[in-house]
């Protein structure tokens, strides 16, 4: 099974006024240890920051402030107007181009309610994703949990370690992908009997219908 783990860093929570400043996508395959990576910082004519996001992304913001097209070109950076077109080209190369027959399976934390809302605002956006999203919080939930586990709890259950906590898109995308991969390969965090969803399809795929 193949899937793409996607993560964004943004200037805030509201896609109507805030912007994507970093995007990463990693292609995982249960039958291979090879990974294909899409990663870029995203530059805009101007930026709308929310205070919490600014504090979380200070290092990333410094990188963007120091970026100069004249000397750096597009190495590691991309204008927002080009982001979707370049990402879609990466998908065609690594996933295939018939998104109707073979929509892209996505893994992510809160992808449908957060990341997708930002992606839909991009220039030339087109719908390529499967409506069901692979979310590790639904895979490593236990019967004694009051609410679905957070990222730290999922990491401890799936991989026996804590998240890096560096708030960078590539690191977060890899961590989520590794958790999903562990589940698909049969590692339930040694809690098979306590997973709420006994039906594997319901446990693997969190069905989230897009509007």
């Amino acid at each position: 099974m193949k899937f793409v783990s996607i993560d964004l860093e943004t200037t805030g929570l509201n896609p109507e006024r805030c912007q994507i400043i970093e995007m990463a996508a990693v292609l995982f395959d249960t039958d291979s240890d090879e990974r294909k990576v899409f990663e870029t910082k995203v530059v805009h004519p101007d930026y709308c920051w929310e205070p919490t996001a600014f504090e979380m992304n200070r290092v990333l913001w410094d990188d963007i402030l120091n970026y100069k097209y004249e000397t750096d070109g597009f190495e590691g950076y991309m204008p927002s107007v080009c982001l979707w077109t370049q990402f879609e080209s990466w998908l065609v190369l690594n996933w295939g181009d018939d998104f109707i027959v073979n929509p892209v399976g996505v893994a992510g934390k809160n992808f449908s309610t957060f990341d997708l809302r930002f992606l839909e605002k991009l220039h030339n956006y087109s719908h390529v994703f499967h409506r069901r999203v692979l979310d590790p919080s639904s895979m490593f939930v236990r019967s004694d949990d009051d609410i679905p586990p957070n990222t730290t709890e999922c990491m401890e259950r799936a991989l026996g370690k804590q998240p890096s906590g560096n708030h960078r898109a590539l690191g977060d995308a890899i961590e989520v992908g590794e958790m999903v991969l562990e589940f698909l390969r049969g590692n339930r965090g040694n809690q098979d009997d306590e997973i709420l969803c006994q039906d594997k399809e319901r446990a693997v795929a969190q069905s989230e219908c897009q509007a």
Side-chain angles (χ1 to χ4, degrees):
M1 179 181 181
K2 294 195 303 182
F3 62 91
V4 177
S5 182
I6 296 175
D7 192 80
L8 306 178
E9 299 300 330
T10 67
T11 62
L13 300 178
N14 188 341
E16 298 298 328
R17 63 172 184 266
C18 299
Q19 301 107 341
I20 299 169
I21 52 174
E22 189 174 47
M23 178 178 180
V26 184
L27 177 67
F28 287 84
D29 189 335
T30 54
D31 296 324
S32 172
D33 291 328
E34 183 182 11
R35 298 172 183 173
K36 304 290 186 180
V37 175
F38 176 92
E39 180 188 19
T40 187
K41 300 177 186 70
V42 186
V43 293
H44 302 263
D46 44 27
Y47 299 83
C48 178
W49 281 97
E50 293 178 356
T52 301
F54 184 79
E55 289 300 318
M56 290 175 60
N57 291 291
R58 279 184 176 273
V59 174
L60 177 55
W61 179 232
D62 287 342
D63 290 345
I64 292 173
L65 283 179
N66 291 327
Y67 165 73
K68 298 290 187 295
Y69 169 72
E70 294 78 9
T71 56
D72 300 330
F74 288 145
E75 185 66 32
Y77 295 82
M78 190 177 299
S80 59
V81 70
C82 302
L83 180 57
W84 182 260
T85 300
Q86 293 300 313
F87 175 60
E88 192 171 38
S89 297
W90 179 85
L91 284 174
V92 168
L93 180 64
N94 293 288
W95 185 273
D97 60 357
D98 194 342
F99 300 120
I100 295 177
V101 173
N102 186 29
V104 178
V106 177
K109 300 173 296 184
N110 306 313
F111 176 79
S112 293
T113 56
F114 182 77
D115 305 77
L116 182 60
R117 294 171 62 209
F118 278 87
L119 294 174
E120 289 173 337
K121 297 296 181 182
L122 293 175
H123 179 67
N124 282 338
Y125 171 83
S126 60
H127 187 69
V128 301
F129 303 119
H130 198 287
R131 65 186 180 88
R132 292 182 176 180
V133 176
L134 299 166
D135 187 332
S137 67
S138 66
M139 298 175 182
F140 293 97
V141 65
R142 298 175 181 173
S143 58
D144 58 350
D145 287 332
D146 293 326
I147 58 174
N150 59 31
T151 302
T152 299
E153 292 167 333
C154 282
M155 284 282 288
E156 289 173 343
R157 295 174 187 182
L159 305 173
K161 62 181 182 180
Q162 293 194 352
S164 62
N166 63 4
H167 300 296
R168 296 300 292 262
L170 182 58
D172 288 352
I174 289 174
E175 288 175 350
V176 167
E178 287 179 343
M179 286 188 278
V180 172
L181 199 62
E182 283 295 298
F183 183 87
L184 294 175
R185 287 177 171 174
N187 176 9
R188 310 292 179 85
N190 295 321
Q191 297 291 332
D192 288 353
D193 294 337
E194 297 187 82
I195 295 176
L196 290 178
C197 301
Q198 297 301 316
D199 182 336
K200 183 177 179 180
E201 287 300 318
R202 292 177 59 202
V204 171
Q206 180 180 358
S207 178
E208 300 179 83
C209 297
Q210 309 300 323

